[in-house]
Amino acid sequence: MPELPEVETVRSGLEMALKGATIRKVTLRRKDLRIPFPKDLAQRLEGQKIPAIRRRAKYLLFDLASSDVLIAHLGMSGRFSIEGKTPKIFTAHDHVIFTLNDGRALIYNDARRFGLMTIAHKEELASHSLFAALGPEPFDKAFSPAYLQGALQERKTAVKVALMDQALVVGVGNIYASEALFLAGISPHIPAKKTAHQAKAIIAAIRKVLGDAIASGGSSLRDFIHVSGETGYFQHHFNVYGRKGDPCVTCGEHIRSTRLSGRSTFFCPSCQK
DNA sequence: CGGCGGTCCTGTCAGC
DNA sequence: TGCTGACAGGACCGCC
């Protein structure tokens, strides 16, 4: 469940449930996800208190009392769930189990294994290979019209592809790229440079779709934590994503779908120019 | 060197 | 009902 709003929803749910908790034991049920687990991962986590859980781009950052930071990415299918004290039968894709001092268990499950989990000292984060090339956070003031205009100006690729590039801005994935461009009234395959003058509208659209999605995810946090799992894109409605052939909410025209850089893309041929 | 295609992996769903 | 193929929210790698 991995664009920024979903990661933020997971972050806030995890922080609510885990802030101040201590990790007693870590069980790695395989040796890697997308990349190998560091050899000392479990050892560096065990006995550590978790003062806070943060997010950078689509990465979850678990601060530890030791000043190490547990870095987790959900990939396409990664999920965290929290189990109570009653023992649980682990399933095939429960890859990492964190047993807490209070007896609860935090479980990382990831069927497709596109996620990753690693650890770094907090001083190393900014220069870490996973983070060094990332662009600004969409809600940060660094993601300004002047910045985006300049960034779009130097790209020939389709604007939708540019918006999904985490070096341009982080957190926008395949769904919200389509949704933001619908709100901005811009066709997804227009070359990025031709949309540079609309930077301000694009920023507003991105913030609107991400902000609304975070707000709707937040309303279901209770389910996420207590029912264990499933915070997908449930109960969130999209204007264009997944609505091929359906009427546009604005003009009634049929929503079209196409592929850009291998990713399914949805747009209204009448509202988006 | 920007940009694109292929690739990692499993689950699900449409269509036959 | 069962099989097959296409496709899925991400991001890295290698090639032009």
Side-chain angles (χ1 to χ4, degrees):
Chain A
M1 55 190 86
E3 295 186 43
L4 186 146
E6 292 68 37
V7 179
E8 179 56 29
T9 297
V10 170
R11 185 209 65 75
S12 120
L14 287 176
E15 180 161 79
M16 212 180 302
L18 298 179
K19 187 172 174 139
T22 298
I23 301 168
R24 177 194 292 154
K25 180 170 171 24
V26 175
T27 305
L28 304 172
R29 300 180 76 235
R30 51 178 300 121
K31 62 181 188 343
D32 60 14
L33 288 170
R34 197 177 82 215
I35 60 174
F37 294 128
K39 292 249 188 310
D40 59 355
L41 179 62
Q43 177 244 312
R44 284 167 76 174
L45 293 171
E46 287 170 358
Q48 291 303 316
K49 187 170 175 172
I50 306 172
I53 300 174
R54 297 177 291 129
R55 178 190 59 72
R56 168 71 172 120
K58 299 172 191 169
Y59 294 88
L60 290 163
L61 305 175
F62 297 68
D63 284 337
L64 303 173
S66 60
S67 295
D68 271 340
V69 179
L70 169 65
I71 301 164
H73 194 291
L74 301 172
M76 295 276 230
S77 55
R79 302 172 175 205
F80 276 106
S81 62
I82 294 171
E83 296 294 329
K85 302 176 185 182
T86 47
K88 182 198 184 250
I89 308 297
F90 298 122
T91 63
H93 304 306
D94 289 340
H95 303 309
V96 185
I97 319 294
F98 304 77
T99 308
L100 306 178
N101 273 5
D102 62 14
R104 291 179 301 160
L106 171 67
I107 298 165
Y108 179 77
N109 177 291
D110 186 358
R112 288 177 77 184
R113 277 185 268 135
F114 286 177
L116 70 81
M117 206 174 284
T118 191
I119 193 163
H121 193 273
K122 70 178 180 192
E123 305 296 332
E124 304 169 340
L125 276 190
S127 59
H128 195 285
S129 59
L130 292 172
F131 301 100
L134 292 178
E137 288 287 330
F139 291 102
D140 196 284
K141 62 180 188 298
F143 188 51
S144 66
Y147 162 78
L148 182 60
Q149 182 172 356
L152 291 171
Q153 199 77 60
E154 58 193 37
R155 298 187 185 226
K156 290 185 222 174
T157 194
V159 60
K160 187 216 174 206
V161 176
L163 294 183
M164 288 176 64
D165 183 346
Q166 303 299 294
L168 188 142
V169 62
V170 301
V172 179
N174 196 43
I175 291 181
Y176 296 109
S178 280
E179 291 295 314
L181 287 171
F182 172 77
L183 275 199
I186 298 169
S187 175
H189 20 256
I190 302 290
K193 57 163 60 170
K194 291 194 180 175
T195 68
H197 68 286
Q198 296 170 92
K200 194 174 170 188
I202 294 172
I203 290 169
I206 287 173
R207 288 178 175 164
K208 169 79 175 148
V209 297
L210 297 182
D212 285 356
I214 291 169
S216 92
S219 67
S220 58
L221 268 187
R222 184 179 306 248
D223 295 340
F224 161 65
I225 282 305
H226 297 299
V227 183
S228 84
E230 312 316 312
T231 80
Y233 293 83
F234 65 136
Q235 30 168 288
H236 196 69
H237 92 281
F238 300 118
N239 285 317
V240 289
Y241 188 84
R243 296 194 63 240
K244 178 181 182 180
D246 291 350
C248 171
V249 293
T250 302
C251 74
E253 185 66 68
H254 294 308
I255 299 302
R256 279 200 208 152
S257 99
T258 179
R259 293 203 143 250
L260 276 174
S261 241
R263 312 303 300 277
S264 59
T265 302
F266 299 85
F267 65 101
C268 171
S270 158
C271 294
Q272 295 175 254
K273 300 295 178 192

PDB file of all heavy atoms in Angstrom, chain A residues 58 73 233 241 259 264, chain C residues 7-12:
ATOM      1  N   LYS A  58       8.734   7.550   0.816  1.00  0.00           N
ATOM      2  CA  LYS A  58       7.888   6.396   1.118  1.00  0.00           C
ATOM      3  C   LYS A  58       8.575   5.451   2.102  1.00  0.00           C
ATOM      4  O   LYS A  58       8.178   4.295   2.225  1.00  0.00           O
ATOM      5  CB  LYS A  58       7.530   5.654  -0.176  1.00  0.00           C
ATOM      6  CG  LYS A  58       6.745   6.523  -1.171  1.00  0.00           C
ATOM      7  CD  LYS A  58       6.579   5.836  -2.515  1.00  0.00           C
ATOM      8  CE  LYS A  58       6.041   6.804  -3.567  1.00  0.00           C
ATOM      9  NZ  LYS A  58       6.116   6.247  -4.928  1.00  0.00           N
ATOM     10  N   HIS A  73      10.751  -0.028   3.874  1.00  0.00           N
ATOM     11  CA  HIS A  73       9.976   0.394   2.710  1.00  0.00           C
ATOM     12  C   HIS A  73       8.976  -0.709   2.413  1.00  0.00           C
ATOM     13  O   HIS A  73       9.312  -1.886   2.497  1.00  0.00           O
ATOM     14  CB  HIS A  73      10.909   0.611   1.507  1.00  0.00           C
ATOM     15  CG  HIS A  73      10.265   1.361   0.377  1.00  0.00           C
ATOM     16  ND1 HIS A  73       9.262   0.829  -0.388  1.00  0.00           N
ATOM     17  CD2 HIS A  73      10.479   2.611  -0.102  1.00  0.00           C
ATOM     18  CE1 HIS A  73       8.892   1.725  -1.297  1.00  0.00           C
ATOM     19  NE2 HIS A  73       9.608   2.817  -1.142  1.00  0.00           N
ATOM     20  N   TYR A 233      -6.363   1.136  -0.330  1.00  0.00           N
ATOM     21  CA  TYR A 233      -6.923   2.356  -0.889  1.00  0.00           C
ATOM     22  C   TYR A 233      -8.422   2.310  -0.711  1.00  0.00           C
ATOM     23  O   TYR A 233      -9.165   3.003  -1.368  1.00  0.00           O
ATOM     24  CB  TYR A 233      -6.570   2.480  -2.370  1.00  0.00           C
ATOM     25  CG  TYR A 233      -5.106   2.697  -2.573  1.00  0.00           C
ATOM     26  CD1 TYR A 233      -4.253   1.629  -2.588  1.00  0.00           C
ATOM     27  CD2 TYR A 233      -4.610   3.969  -2.703  1.00  0.00           C
ATOM     28  CE1 TYR A 233      -2.903   1.820  -2.738  1.00  0.00           C
ATOM     29  CE2 TYR A 233      -3.268   4.172  -2.864  1.00  0.00           C
ATOM     30  CZ  TYR A 233      -2.417   3.101  -2.879  1.00  0.00           C
ATOM     31  OH  TYR A 233      -1.079   3.301  -3.035  1.00  0.00           O
ATOM     32  N   TYR A 241      -8.370   7.261 -11.572  1.00  0.00           N
ATOM     33  CA  TYR A 241      -7.623   6.002 -11.449  1.00  0.00           C
ATOM     34  C   TYR A 241      -8.566   4.797 -11.389  1.00  0.00           C
ATOM     35  O   TYR A 241      -9.498   4.751 -10.587  1.00  0.00           O
ATOM     36  CB  TYR A 241      -6.711   5.995 -10.216  1.00  0.00           C
ATOM     37  CG  TYR A 241      -5.827   4.768 -10.230  1.00  0.00           C
ATOM     38  CD1 TYR A 241      -4.644   4.760 -10.943  1.00  0.00           C
ATOM     39  CD2 TYR A 241      -6.226   3.607  -9.580  1.00  0.00           C
ATOM     40  CE1 TYR A 241      -3.867   3.615 -11.011  1.00  0.00           C
ATOM     41  CE2 TYR A 241      -5.451   2.461  -9.648  1.00  0.00           C
ATOM     42  CZ  TYR A 241      -4.279   2.477 -10.367  1.00  0.00           C
ATOM     43  OH  TYR A 241      -3.521   1.343 -10.434  1.00  0.00           O
ATOM     44  N   ARG A 259      -0.784   3.717 -21.411  1.00  0.00           N
ATOM     45  CA  ARG A 259       0.408   3.326 -20.649  1.00  0.00           C
ATOM     46  C   ARG A 259       1.492   4.361 -20.864  1.00  0.00           C
ATOM     47  O   ARG A 259       1.735   4.803 -21.981  1.00  0.00           O
ATOM     48  CB  ARG A 259       0.930   1.962 -21.106  1.00  0.00           C
ATOM     49  CG  ARG A 259      -0.021   0.870 -20.780  1.00  0.00           C
ATOM     50  CD  ARG A 259       0.677  -0.488 -20.698  1.00  0.00           C
ATOM     51  NE  ARG A 259       0.067  -1.218 -19.638  1.00  0.00           N
ATOM     52  CZ  ARG A 259       0.645  -1.513 -18.470  1.00  0.00           C
ATOM     53  NH1 ARG A 259       1.884  -1.173 -18.258  1.00  0.00           N
ATOM     54  NH2 ARG A 259      -0.002  -2.150 -17.544  1.00  0.00           N
ATOM     55  N   SER A 264       0.074   1.972 -15.995  1.00  0.00           N
ATOM     56  CA  SER A 264      -1.262   2.341 -16.423  1.00  0.00           C
ATOM     57  C   SER A 264      -1.573   3.761 -15.969  1.00  0.00           C
ATOM     58  O   SER A 264      -1.210   4.178 -14.877  1.00  0.00           O
ATOM     59  CB  SER A 264      -2.287   1.352 -15.873  1.00  0.00           C
ATOM     60  OG  SER A 264      -2.232   1.341 -14.474  1.00  0.00           O
TER      61      SER A 264
ATOM     62  P    DC C   7      -1.711  -6.018 -19.745  1.00  0.00           P
ATOM     63  OP1  DC C   7      -2.543  -5.042 -20.466  1.00  0.00           O
ATOM     64  OP2  DC C   7      -0.287  -6.209 -20.068  1.00  0.00           O
ATOM     65  O5'  DC C   7      -1.800  -5.707 -18.186  1.00  0.00           O
ATOM     66  C5'  DC C   7      -3.054  -5.819 -17.526  1.00  0.00           C
ATOM     67  C4'  DC C   7      -2.813  -5.732 -16.045  1.00  0.00           C
ATOM     68  O4'  DC C   7      -2.340  -7.007 -15.567  1.00  0.00           O
ATOM     69  C3'  DC C   7      -1.743  -4.708 -15.650  1.00  0.00           C
ATOM     70  O3'  DC C   7      -2.331  -3.731 -14.821  1.00  0.00           O
ATOM     71  C2'  DC C   7      -0.689  -5.527 -14.911  1.00  0.00           C
ATOM     72  C1'  DC C   7      -1.459  -6.764 -14.500  1.00  0.00           C
ATOM     73  N1   DC C   7      -0.614  -7.966 -14.304  1.00  0.00           N
ATOM     74  C2   DC C   7      -0.807  -8.749 -13.156  1.00  0.00           C
ATOM     75  O2   DC C   7      -1.678  -8.407 -12.346  1.00  0.00           O
ATOM     76  N3   DC C   7      -0.049  -9.856 -12.969  1.00  0.00           N
ATOM     77  C4   DC C   7       0.881 -10.178 -13.874  1.00  0.00           C
ATOM     78  N4   DC C   7       1.598 -11.275 -13.644  1.00  0.00           N
ATOM     79  C5   DC C   7       1.085  -9.396 -15.058  1.00  0.00           C
ATOM     80  C6   DC C   7       0.324  -8.306 -15.232  1.00  0.00           C
ATOM     81  P    DA C   8      -1.458  -2.418 -14.458  1.00  0.00           P
ATOM     82  OP1  DA C   8      -2.329  -1.269 -14.725  1.00  0.00           O
ATOM     83  OP2  DA C   8      -0.125  -2.499 -15.072  1.00  0.00           O
ATOM     84  O5'  DA C   8      -1.260  -2.553 -12.881  1.00  0.00           O
ATOM     85  C5'  DA C   8      -2.384  -2.650 -12.029  1.00  0.00           C
ATOM     86  C4'  DA C   8      -1.919  -3.026 -10.637  1.00  0.00           C
ATOM     87  O4'  DA C   8      -1.722  -4.448 -10.599  1.00  0.00           O
ATOM     88  C3'  DA C   8      -0.556  -2.444 -10.272  1.00  0.00           C
ATOM     89  O3'  DA C   8      -0.713  -1.158  -9.665  1.00  0.00           O
ATOM     90  C2'  DA C   8      -0.029  -3.453  -9.263  1.00  0.00           C
ATOM     91  C1'  DA C   8      -0.694  -4.757  -9.690  1.00  0.00           C
ATOM     92  N9   DA C   8       0.239  -5.645 -10.387  1.00  0.00           N
ATOM     93  C8   DA C   8       0.819  -5.446 -11.616  1.00  0.00           C
ATOM     94  N7   DA C   8       1.617  -6.412 -11.984  1.00  0.00           N
ATOM     95  C5   DA C   8       1.578  -7.310 -10.925  1.00  0.00           C
ATOM     96  C6   DA C   8       2.203  -8.543 -10.689  1.00  0.00           C
ATOM     97  N6   DA C   8       3.034  -9.107 -11.546  1.00  0.00           N
ATOM     98  N1   DA C   8       1.946  -9.168  -9.519  1.00  0.00           N
ATOM     99  C2   DA C   8       1.106  -8.588  -8.654  1.00  0.00           C
ATOM    100  N3   DA C   8       0.451  -7.438  -8.763  1.00  0.00           N
ATOM    101  C4   DA C   8       0.731  -6.845  -9.941  1.00  0.00           C
ATOM    102  P    DG C   9      -0.247   0.126 -10.469  1.00  0.00           P
ATOM    103  OP1  DG C   9      -1.485   0.630 -11.067  1.00  0.00           O
ATOM    104  OP2  DG C   9       0.895  -0.133 -11.328  1.00  0.00           O
ATOM    105  O5'  DG C   9       0.277   1.129  -9.383  1.00  0.00           O
ATOM    106  C5'  DG C   9      -0.511   1.587  -8.344  1.00  0.00           C
ATOM    107  C4'  DG C   9       0.304   2.325  -7.312  1.00  0.00           C
ATOM    108  O4'  DG C   9      -0.303   2.038  -6.077  1.00  0.00           O
ATOM    109  C3'  DG C   9       1.737   1.891  -7.091  1.00  0.00           C
ATOM    110  O3'  DG C   9       2.371   2.915  -6.331  1.00  0.00           O
ATOM    111  C2'  DG C   9       1.601   0.625  -6.293  1.00  0.00           C
ATOM    112  C1'  DG C   9       0.385   0.967  -5.437  1.00  0.00           C
ATOM    113  N9   DG C   9      -0.563  -0.155  -5.317  1.00  0.00           N
ATOM    114  C8   DG C   9      -0.763  -1.184  -6.193  1.00  0.00           C
ATOM    115  N7   DG C   9      -1.678  -2.024  -5.810  1.00  0.00           N
ATOM    116  C5   DG C   9      -2.127  -1.503  -4.602  1.00  0.00           C
ATOM    117  C6   DG C   9      -3.123  -1.957  -3.718  1.00  0.00           C
ATOM    118  O6   DG C   9      -3.830  -2.940  -3.838  1.00  0.00           O
ATOM    119  N1   DG C   9      -3.247  -1.135  -2.619  1.00  0.00           N
ATOM    120  C2   DG C   9      -2.524  -0.005  -2.399  1.00  0.00           C
ATOM    121  N2   DG C   9      -2.761   0.670  -1.288  1.00  0.00           N
ATOM    122  N3   DG C   9      -1.580   0.449  -3.220  1.00  0.00           N
ATOM    123  C4   DG C   9      -1.441  -0.353  -4.297  1.00  0.00           C
ATOM    124  P    DG C  10       3.777   3.337  -6.769  1.00  0.00           P
ATOM    125  OP1  DG C  10       4.229   4.471  -5.945  1.00  0.00           O
ATOM    126  OP2  DG C  10       3.674   3.456  -8.227  1.00  0.00           O
ATOM    127  O5'  DG C  10       4.705   2.075  -6.425  1.00  0.00           O
ATOM    128  C5'  DG C  10       4.943   1.718  -5.088  1.00  0.00           C
ATOM    129  C4'  DG C  10       6.425   1.571  -4.827  1.00  0.00           C
ATOM    130  O4'  DG C  10       6.917   0.393  -5.509  1.00  0.00           O
ATOM    131  C3'  DG C  10       7.295   2.717  -5.337  1.00  0.00           C
ATOM    132  O3'  DG C  10       8.311   2.905  -4.373  1.00  0.00           O
ATOM    133  C2'  DG C  10       7.847   2.232  -6.659  1.00  0.00           C
ATOM    134  C1'  DG C  10       7.941   0.733  -6.423  1.00  0.00           C
ATOM    135  N9   DG C  10       7.697  -0.082  -7.604  1.00  0.00           N
ATOM    136  C8   DG C  10       6.728   0.118  -8.559  1.00  0.00           C
ATOM    137  N7   DG C  10       6.735  -0.799  -9.494  1.00  0.00           N
ATOM    138  C5   DG C  10       7.773  -1.645  -9.123  1.00  0.00           C
ATOM    139  C6   DG C  10       8.256  -2.822  -9.748  1.00  0.00           C
ATOM    140  O6   DG C  10       7.847  -3.355 -10.779  1.00  0.00           O
ATOM    141  N1   DG C  10       9.323  -3.371  -9.046  1.00  0.00           N
ATOM    142  C2   DG C  10       9.851  -2.863  -7.893  1.00  0.00           C
ATOM    143  N2   DG C  10      10.881  -3.522  -7.366  1.00  0.00           N
ATOM    144  N3   DG C  10       9.405  -1.770  -7.294  1.00  0.00           N
ATOM    145  C4   DG C  10       8.378  -1.210  -7.967  1.00  0.00           C
ATOM    146  P    DA C  11       9.330   4.127  -4.522  1.00  0.00           P
ATOM    147  OP1  DA C  11       9.728   4.491  -3.153  1.00  0.00           O
ATOM    148  OP2  DA C  11       8.740   5.119  -5.418  1.00  0.00           O
ATOM    149  O5'  DA C  11      10.616   3.497  -5.214  1.00  0.00           O
ATOM    150  C5'  DA C  11      11.332   2.498  -4.503  1.00  0.00           C
ATOM    151  C4'  DA C  11      12.364   1.874  -5.398  1.00  0.00           C
ATOM    152  O4'  DA C  11      11.738   1.117  -6.441  1.00  0.00           O
ATOM    153  C3'  DA C  11      13.282   2.883  -6.102  1.00  0.00           C
ATOM    154  O3'  DA C  11      14.566   2.327  -6.069  1.00  0.00           O
ATOM    155  C2'  DA C  11      12.737   2.888  -7.509  1.00  0.00           C
ATOM    156  C1'  DA C  11      12.409   1.409  -7.643  1.00  0.00           C
ATOM    157  N9   DA C  11      11.536   1.096  -8.755  1.00  0.00           N
ATOM    158  C8   DA C  11      10.516   1.858  -9.269  1.00  0.00           C
ATOM    159  N7   DA C  11       9.915   1.320 -10.293  1.00  0.00           N
ATOM    160  C5   DA C  11      10.574   0.111 -10.467  1.00  0.00           C
ATOM    161  C6   DA C  11      10.412  -0.921 -11.389  1.00  0.00           C
ATOM    162  N6   DA C  11       9.493  -0.898 -12.352  1.00  0.00           N
ATOM    163  N1   DA C  11      11.245  -1.991 -11.288  1.00  0.00           N
ATOM    164  C2   DA C  11      12.169  -1.998 -10.321  1.00  0.00           C
ATOM    165  N3   DA C  11      12.415  -1.085  -9.397  1.00  0.00           N
ATOM    166  C4   DA C  11      11.572  -0.037  -9.524  1.00  0.00           C
ATOM    167  P    DC C  12      15.851   3.235  -6.031  1.00  0.00           P
ATOM    168  OP1  DC C  12      16.113   3.549  -4.620  1.00  0.00           O
ATOM    169  OP2  DC C  12      15.729   4.330  -7.015  1.00  0.00           O
ATOM    170  O5'  DC C  12      16.929   2.185  -6.531  1.00  0.00           O
ATOM    171  C5'  DC C  12      16.919   0.874  -5.970  1.00  0.00           C
ATOM    172  C4'  DC C  12      17.406  -0.103  -7.015  1.00  0.00           C
ATOM    173  O4'  DC C  12      16.379  -0.357  -7.993  1.00  0.00           O
ATOM    174  C3'  DC C  12      18.632   0.394  -7.778  1.00  0.00           C
ATOM    175  O3'  DC C  12      19.598  -0.638  -7.788  1.00  0.00           O
ATOM    176  C2'  DC C  12      18.096   0.720  -9.160  1.00  0.00           C
ATOM    177  C1'  DC C  12      16.923  -0.245  -9.293  1.00  0.00           C
ATOM    178  N1   DC C  12      15.848   0.227 -10.188  1.00  0.00           N
ATOM    179  C2   DC C  12      15.425  -0.582 -11.248  1.00  0.00           C
ATOM    180  O2   DC C  12      15.957  -1.691 -11.397  1.00  0.00           O
ATOM    181  N3   DC C  12      14.440  -0.136 -12.069  1.00  0.00           N
ATOM    182  C4   DC C  12      13.890   1.066 -11.872  1.00  0.00           C
ATOM    183  N4   DC C  12      12.933   1.450 -12.700  1.00  0.00           N
ATOM    184  C5   DC C  12      14.308   1.901 -10.798  1.00  0.00           C
ATOM    185  C6   DC C  12      15.280   1.464  -9.997  1.00  0.00           C
TER     186       DC C  12
END
